[in-house]
Amino acid sequence: YSNHYEVVQERTQAIRHGLEIAEDWDLVIVTGMANFTSRWMNEWDIPWNEKEVIEEQMRNLGMWVM
């Protein structure tokens, strides 16, 4: 158990960072936006699919994706 945490403002980068620092048998839990279909950023509505973002980041890191 650790009380260490980091804040990463950009959500895609935060997801990637969580996956990068995970060790064998760690569980990475991403919460909060799974039901959203878009994100509001800098006055723009940007399409968002959290499952696709997570899978893409896993592939980019050479991880197995179901």
Side-chain angles (χ1 to χ4, degrees):
Y1 174 76
S2 171
N3 62 355
H4 171 78
Y5 67 92
E6 296 178 46
V7 176
V8 179
Q9 295 294 328
E10 206 289 307
R11 191 157 182 91
T12 301
Q13 291 303 314
I15 290 168
R16 181 182 178 93
H17 181 65
L19 294 169
E20 286 176 328
I21 65 172
E23 298 178 10
D24 289 346
W25 299 103
D26 280 354
L27 178 64
V28 177
I29 300 173
V30 181
T31 64
M33 291 192 68
N35 61 324
F36 286 65
T37 57
S38 64
R39 295 172 53 199
W40 183 256
M41 293 181 58
N42 300 326
E43 300 183 27
W44 297 96
D45 199 24
I46 300 171
W48 180 257
N49 183 316
E50 192 139 279
K51 181 178 185 284
E52 289 178 3
V53 170
I54 293 167
E55 289 176 349
E56 177 184 17
Q57 293 306 311
M58 289 177 71
R59 278 190 218 91
N60 290 344
L61 293 169
M63 296 177 169
W64 182 70
V65 178
M66 291 177 62

